[in-house]
Every structure is written in C-alpha cells, then in structure tokens.
Amino acid sequence: MLLDNKTILITGGTGSFGKCFAQYVLEHYNPKKIIIYSRDEFKQYIMQGEFKEYADRLRFFIGDVRDKERLRRAFEGVDFVIHAAALKQVPACEYNPNEAIKTNIHGAQNVIDAALDADVKKVVALSTDKAVNPVNLYGGTKLVSDKLFIAANAYAGTKDINFSIVRYGNVAGSRGSIIPLFHNIIKNGGSELPITDYRMTRFWISLTEGVELVIKALCEATGGETFISKIPSFKVTDLAQAMLPGCKMPEIGIRPGIVGVTVVAVGTSLPELVTTLTAIVKGESSLSIGNIVGANIIDLTLILPVCALLSGGELAVSPRSAALDLPVCFALTALGVLPPLASGRFRRWQGAAMLAGYGAYVWALVR
C-alpha cells in the first residue's frame, strides 16, 4: 500500500482534519511514522493522550509554518506532507489581514521551499470552496496558496516530487463550524438557533470523506492537479430544524467577509445543467451566478434566463466577473443581457424577455 512504511507529516496536525487523518491512516495502513506539526503545545498534549496506543508511530513537533528553518528540520526524512495549517475563520482573517497573509500565503511558500530542499516525494495542500471567486480575505489567501502549490511543480526540476491540491467545502462537525455551534446552544437549553441569512447554504462533507479524498490525491497525483469531490449542499435553516425541530430561527445578519448567497457556476454540460436547475426548482439553495468569465453565449443567453425564471424571484449576478470578449459582448448587447449584469440583479421578467429575444434571434438566423 502507498502509505505503508512511509513517514507522513501533517502541518496543523492537531486540528479536526489532522486528528481524523492520523486515526484513519493508523487504522487502515501501516505507516512508519506520522509527524504532527503544529504551534499549540496544549493541543499536542491532548492529542498525545488520545493516541496513546499509537505512541510508537506518532511524533509531535512544535513549530509554525511561518518558520522556514523549523520546517526544513521537520521535513528531514519525510515522504509525504499534508499541508492543513491555515487561519480559517473568515472574520478573524478580515480583522487580521497581515496574520492571514503570513500564515496562508507565506506559510505555503515556506512549506514548498522546505519540501523541495528535503526531497519530499508528495505534497498535498488542503484548499477550500471559498478560494473560488473569493469574496473575503480568507478565500483570497487560499487562492494565492493554491496557485503557489500548483506552480511549485515547475520548480521541481529533476527532483522526484509533486504538488497537488484538495478542495472541498465545509467539514461537518469541524471545530468552529455551525454544527458544534448549534449543538452547544441546544445542550445549554437554548430554544433559538441563530441564522446569519435565511438564504444561506453550505456544501457538506464529512471528515472521513475529506481524509479519503486526500489519500486519493496521494495515490493518483502526478503534479498540478486540483482534486474536487462532488458534494451535496443544504440550507442552514434545514439544518437548524433537523437539529432542533420547531425552533425559532432569528436572522442575525451575515458576518464580515461572508456573502449572502451561494455562488454556483452554471455548467455547460447537460448533467451539470440538470443538477443546477433541479436545485433551483426544489429551492435547495439560493443561487448566484458568480463566475461567468469565459462562459459561452449559450450559457448566458439561455441557461441564465431559465435559472431566473425557475428561481421564483431574482438571481444575484456578480458584475465584476462579467469579463467577456468583444464578440460575445456585442451579441449580448444585442440581446439586452449586459444591463442586468451591470445592475447586479437578474429578475424574472428579464429572463422572459431574454428568452423571447433569444428565440427571435435564432428564428432570424434560420429563416
């Protein structure tokens, strides 16, 4: 097996993912050693107590990804590196941008340099769905981090090393996430579960699924890949009712750096289109067309108005993403698409008008 008799290092290893990864690998494989690299001595102490039975194969290093020399020392003799260390709390990153940049961007570059110097074989970096069309600093720093890891493959030269990315959404039950928050409120006798925005949705993945995706990346990566699993989404209000049926759900407003709707890119393939339209019809999420860069004219003149009609209201559109080449802009202007994009809202009547215009345009072409 790939992980048998290998030395694996996990940055940020005392977090939810690191613990689950260590447990999974120790139960299913026979690694030579797993190194937990993190900066919190107390969390390492707690983890040592939880993993007593595996003490002969676990090592704990105090260190920060900001410290390149410490990383170089820790990476000596390591075969695989899982980079999970990051500042992840969106509001914290908004209020402390310098710290987020030092850890999420400079730390990523330090991991890359240390891995190259220590002849590590594979590096898998954890990413987030917030790195796609980022609207907050956390997502922006992770986007830069992803770019650094992908580009690192070009610097490997003759070294037998590759870098890849694993990207997924919110991890169910992870520290600081919404499920533990709701659970604590319920445990303390609360009858209300606060909702930031009634339209808010979350992409859902379990810790075990996240670990299995990382192991898949370790097995299959050849360098430069971004592994993304197809995972379901749910409305936060549905989660609240499932955890505390009949509870009140006061809307408290979104946190700094959070957008009020879920960004869903319209896919050009039929299965993706069916999935998107089904979600709209079922009302499973509040949809936003947030990435139309490079979308073809069929996406924008047919799929977009259909989504608007089925959504039952209006569709949020990100005007800053509407970077289209001149021929497409000309065609869209003729069909009256650009005004809705510029306003940032796409309403039902505009969808109907667009479909009518599209039909007239096609009829003119074929007559």
Side-chain angles (χ1 to χ4, degrees):
M1 301 295 286
L2 177 71
L3 302 184
D4 290 345
N5 202 34
K6 301 295 184 182
T7 298
I8 307 162
L9 183 143
I10 313 169
T11 66
T14 54
S16 302
F17 173 86
K19 286 184 177 181
C20 187
F21 181 88
Q23 187 75 39
Y24 188 97
V25 170
L26 289 167
E27 289 179 353
H28 293 83
Y29 300 93
N30 185 32
K32 179 180 178 181
K33 181 168 55 178
I34 295 179
I35 300 173
I36 304 299
Y37 183 94
S38 73
R39 62 184 182 177
D40 193 319
E41 59 179 331
F42 180 69
K43 291 176 185 174
Q44 289 196 6
Y45 170 75
I46 297 297
M47 189 172 176
Q48 284 176 331
E50 294 173 345
F51 285 77
K52 282 183 180 179
E53 59 184 303
Y54 301 111
D56 58 326
R57 288 185 287 171
L58 274 182
R59 299 291 183 271
F60 292 86
F61 280 25
I62 297 290
D64 197 315
V65 292
R66 300 181 186 185
D67 187 344
K68 187 185 295 186
E69 293 306 315
R70 180 58 171 160
L71 281 171
R72 285 195 174 113
R73 181 61 58 87
F75 281 14
E76 289 181 5
V78 170
D79 298 297
F80 304 141
V81 170
I82 312 299
H83 179 49
L87 291 182
K88 303 180 177 71
Q89 291 294 317
V90 172
C93 290
E94 294 296 314
Y95 289 126
N96 305 277
N98 291 352
E99 302 304 308
I101 291 169
K102 289 175 184 176
T103 296
N104 296 354
I105 297 178
H106 298 165
Q109 187 62 56
N110 290 340
V111 169
I112 292 167
D113 292 341
L116 288 168
D117 294 342
D119 294 325
V120 172
K121 298 296 185 290
K122 288 177 179 283
V123 178
V124 175
L126 303 192
S127 183
T128 169
D129 55 343
K130 294 179 179 66
V132 182
N133 299 315
V135 295
N136 51 53
L137 187 69
Y138 169 56
T141 58
K142 292 303 286 184
L143 173 62
V144 174
S145 172
D146 292 355
K147 297 288 187 181
L148 290 173
F149 277 102
I150 297 302
N153 290 282
Y155 296 93
T158 59
K159 294 179 181 290
D160 182 21
I161 183 174
N162 66 64
F163 299 83
S164 58
I165 302 294
V166 164
R167 180 179 294 155
Y168 48 72
N170 296 268
V171 178
S174 62
R175 191 179 63 215
S177 64
I178 192 170
I179 293 179
L181 171 65
F182 283 176
H183 178 72
N184 287 334
I185 293 174
I186 295 170
K187 185 174 66 174
N188 293 326
S191 60
E192 296 183 352
L193 298 181
I195 306 294
T196 54
D197 189 297
Y198 291 140
R199 301 169 297 169
M200 197 71 75
T201 62
R202 286 289 182 271
F203 287 99
W204 172 287
I205 191 171
S206 69
L207 272 171
T208 301
E209 289 172 330
V211 168
E212 290 172 345
L213 183 59
V214 168
I215 293 175
K216 179 181 177 68
L218 285 173
C219 294
E220 299 181 5
T222 58
E225 300 90 347
T226 299
F227 292 83
I228 306 173
S229 62
K230 290 196 172 183
I231 55 179
S233 66
F234 62 83
K235 295 182 70 173
V236 176
T237 51
D238 292 340
L239 173 66
Q241 290 300 319
M243 294 186 68
L244 187 61
C247 68
K248 294 181 179 179
M249 300 181 294
E251 189 173 20
I252 60 175
I254 59 177
R255 302 181 299 172
I258 301 291
V259 292
V261 291
T262 299
V263 176
V264 177
V266 176
T268 56
S269 68
L270 182 59
E272 290 175 338
L273 174 58
V274 170
T275 301
T276 301
L277 296 182
T278 301
I280 297 172
V281 173
K282 289 183 177 180
E284 292 178 347
S285 61
S286 300
L287 299 182
S288 168
I289 308 304
N291 178 20
I292 57 175
V293 178
N296 62 43
I297 193 168
I298 300 300
D299 283 333
L300 294 171
T301 59
L302 182 59
I303 299 174
L304 186 60
V306 169
C307 289
L309 286 170
L310 292 177
S311 67
E314 63 180 27
L315 216 54
V317 179
S318 175
R320 65 182 177 83
S321 297
L324 308 169
D325 55 39
L326 288 177
V328 176
C329 279
F330 177 82
L332 293 178
T333 302
L335 293 171
V337 179
L338 290 185
L341 292 180
S343 69
R345 291 291 165 186
F346 198 83
R347 296 172 179 81
R348 178 181 283 190
W349 67 265
Q350 290 170 322
M354 266 188 65
L355 284 178
Y358 184 77
Y361 178 67
V362 173
W363 179 80
L365 289 177
V366 299
R367 68 184 291 258

